[in-house]
Amino acid sequence: MHDHCRGLSPSPTAWFELEGAPVRVKVLRTTRGEGSGTPGAVLDDRLNVACGDGAVRLVELQRAGSRPMRADEFLRGARLAPGTRLR
């Protein structure tokens, strides 16, 4: 998944929507993550997200209409608890 996100950067860009909110979030940068689980599930407070095989860590994101930000900045406003599914 990390290579998939890299291949889509800078255009057309990988993205997801937050559960319960119709807000699209662009994934600008990732690294290989740690852990496993149901694909699309947030695994921890470092934004490791489960994939079909392993995990990917979201490093830089951009909400629609906002500036690019690091994952820790994004989490201050989004508060994604472990187990939350990204669509």
Side-chain angles (χ1 to χ4, degrees), residues 68-79:
M69 61 186 81
R70 294 185 325 262
D72 60 329
E73 294 174 301
F74 178 81
L75 286 172
R76 284 187 209 130
R79 306 215 190 277

Side-chain angles (χ1 to χ4, degrees), residues 13 15 25 37 45 47 60 71 76 85:
T13 308
W15 59 272
V25 179
D45 61 352
L47 271 185
E60 188 175 13
R76 284 187 209 130
R85 294 252 349 232

Side-chain angles (χ1 to χ4, degrees), residues 29-81:
R29 237 179 40 169
T30 64
T31 61
R32 296 191 191 280
E34 299 173 1
S36 63
T38 304
V42 176
L43 298 174
D44 57 26
D45 61 352
R46 294 185 66 215
L47 271 185
N48 279 301
V49 178
C51 301
D53 184 25
V56 64
R57 183 168 169 249
L58 307 181
V59 175
E60 188 175 13
L61 308 156
Q62 182 178 14
R63 278 181 175 247
S66 185
R67 65 176 178 77
M69 61 186 81
R70 294 185 325 262
D72 60 329
E73 294 174 301
F74 178 81
L75 286 172
R76 284 187 209 130
R79 306 215 190 277
L80 296 175

